[in-house]
Amino acid sequence: MANNTTNEVRATAKYVRVAPRKARAVVGLIRNLPVAKALEVLQFNTRAVSEDISKVLRSAVANAVNNNGMRADDLYVKLAYVDEGPTLKRIRPRAKGSASRINKRMSHITIVVAPRKEA
């Protein structure tokens, strides 16, 4: 039933209000892990972005199971990366009438899952 030739399934969360640098630190922890282990790592991680990444991972697994007929037990995190989204530029008043820029950064989080090849 899987019509994808490479058997990869992806999910993306766009415009997540977290700096890409912070998200990349967490995404690096789950790369190449089985899905169950990756969800466990995210559950016990103390960073706030872990919740958003966990949502994206669950979405990718749901896409694989519902749209491509794959088994959730066989999946692993093949690719996980964070791209930079648009930046909201804000101003903070400083001394002597000057101002400093505050950059509120956004991320696009993408996770690709694939079935593990048993060899």
Side-chain angles (χ1 to χ4, degrees):
M1 186 168 161
N3 56 5
N4 207 350
T5 57
T6 58
N7 290 336
E8 294 177 355
V9 182
R10 73 179 56 232
T12 304
K14 291 191 166 195
Y15 307 105
V16 178
R17 266 291 292 121
V18 65
R21 182 175 171 182
K22 294 179 180 179
R24 284 183 188 119
V26 178
V27 162
L29 297 174
I30 65 167
R31 222 172 263 131
N32 296 320
L33 288 180
V35 167
K37 179 73 173 163
L39 286 169
E40 188 177 310
V41 167
L42 291 172
Q43 180 183 354
F44 292 107
N45 195 318
T46 57
R47 293 195 179 236
V49 72
S50 298
E51 194 172 325
D52 294 321
I53 295 172
S54 178
K55 268 183 161 179
V56 179
L57 179 56
R58 283 196 195 100
S59 178
V61 171
N63 290 342
V65 171
N66 295 322
N67 300 342
N68 294 69
M70 298 178 185
R71 291 187 54 222
D73 301 336
D74 299 338
L75 298 175
Y76 80 106
V77 180
K78 182 173 184 179
L79 280 175
Y81 57 90
V82 178
D83 293 325
E84 192 165 341
T87 300
L88 299 174
K89 288 144 180 116
R90 299 294 180 253
I91 301 296
R92 167 153 297 165
R94 304 307 290 215
K96 299 182 180 178
S98 65
S100 290
R101 177 175 283 172
I102 304 292
N103 291 324
K104 295 182 179 264
R105 301 181 189 277
M106 288 188 220
S107 302
H108 301 320
I109 302 168
T110 304
I111 295 181
V112 177
V113 296
R116 179 73 75 181
K117 299 283 189 279
E118 297 299 326

